[in-house]
Amino acid sequence: MANEVATFGAGCFWCLEAALNELEGVHSALSGYMGGHTAAPDYQSVCSGQTGHAEVVQVSYDRERISFAELCQVFFALHDPTQLNRQGNDIGSQYRSVIFYHSGSQQQQAEAFISELNQAGLFDAAIVTELSPASTFYPAEAYHQGYYRQNLQQGYCHWIITPKLQKFRQQFLAQLKQRPS
């Protein structure tokens, strides 16, 4: 087994965590915070926008079963990477589109992937996803882990995340751990 780590920020971490945990080859996807300037941030301080952290999902995966490039495909399919410091109604640098790379290879692959997406013109505007070296990962509070699965009827989960996950499952059906019947 060849374990690797990747860290992505795509706005609110609940949707990205739920999707990544469904992929074959992903051992775990944990919600948390990265990229800020204060130690031991919590949800309230990150949401204030004062810590500099982004809401992220850190993924532990088996690179022999799923590649970093495949994780990037999912990441870019689940959010709008052309919005600077926001995703929908969530506004602030804590909701920025960001890839925190853990190696030079991840950095190069992410740069190439962004270049390909921009050249293909798949989005109405240029991609503004930040690429930064990984720093300390702070896991989010326990109630954020698996939040979507535990709160399916909560308004944000029901109206925002569920439709995104349905589209994700159709697009990445062959890569899911369990295929819907």
Side-chain angles (χ1 to χ4, degrees):
M1 207 167 20
N3 288 332
E4 297 265 338
V5 174
T7 306
F8 301 98
C12 178
F13 42 39
W14 298 334
C15 179
L16 188 59
E17 179 206 283
L20 291 170
N21 271 315
E22 292 187 12
L23 292 171
E24 192 69 47
V26 170
H27 302 300
S28 68
L30 296 174
S31 292
Y33 317 108
M34 187 178 279
H37 49 76
T38 60
D42 61 14
Y43 187 66
Q44 185 174 357
S45 65
V46 171
C47 285
S48 76
Q50 300 302 306
T51 70
H53 291 89
E55 287 191 18
V56 299
V57 176
Q58 189 156 84
V59 186
S60 171
Y61 66 99
D62 180 347
R63 72 168 184 248
E64 293 175 0
R65 295 174 63 207
I66 188 167
S67 68
F68 179 74
E70 289 170 310
L71 293 172
C72 284
Q73 288 175 330
V74 171
F75 167 71
F76 283 104
L78 285 170
H79 79 296
D80 182 349
T82 68
Q83 293 186 346
L84 184 62
N85 293 330
R86 75 176 298 158
Q87 283 298 303
N89 291 330
D90 294 331
I91 300 171
S93 63
Q94 66 271 30
Y95 303 113
R96 66 191 179 268
S97 175
V98 58
I99 298 173
F100 288 102
Y101 54 85
H102 292 261
S103 67
S105 174
Q106 284 186 356
Q107 179 184 10
Q108 292 169 352
Q109 289 179 69
E111 287 171 350
F113 199 81
I114 290 170
S115 178
E116 287 174 24
L117 289 175
N118 277 327
Q119 288 175 0
L122 296 177
F123 297 98
D124 293 335
I127 292 172
V128 296
T129 300
E130 173 188 320
L131 297 178
S132 293
S135 56
T136 303
F137 173 73
Y138 297 96
E141 295 78 359
Y143 71 92
H144 288 295
Q145 308 306 331
Y147 187 89
Y148 172 74
R149 287 188 315 274
Q150 297 171 37
N151 297 280
L152 293 173
Q153 297 308 315
Q154 190 259 7
Y156 185 85
C157 293
H158 182 75
W159 296 107
I160 304 297
I161 298 175
T162 295
K164 281 186 179 185
L165 285 179
Q166 289 171 339
K167 182 179 175 186
F168 154 77
R169 289 174 183 138
Q170 289 174 347
Q171 187 174 356
F172 296 96
L173 181 63
Q175 293 166 279
L176 299 180
K177 290 175 183 172
Q178 295 179 351
R179 289 159 184 77
S181 47

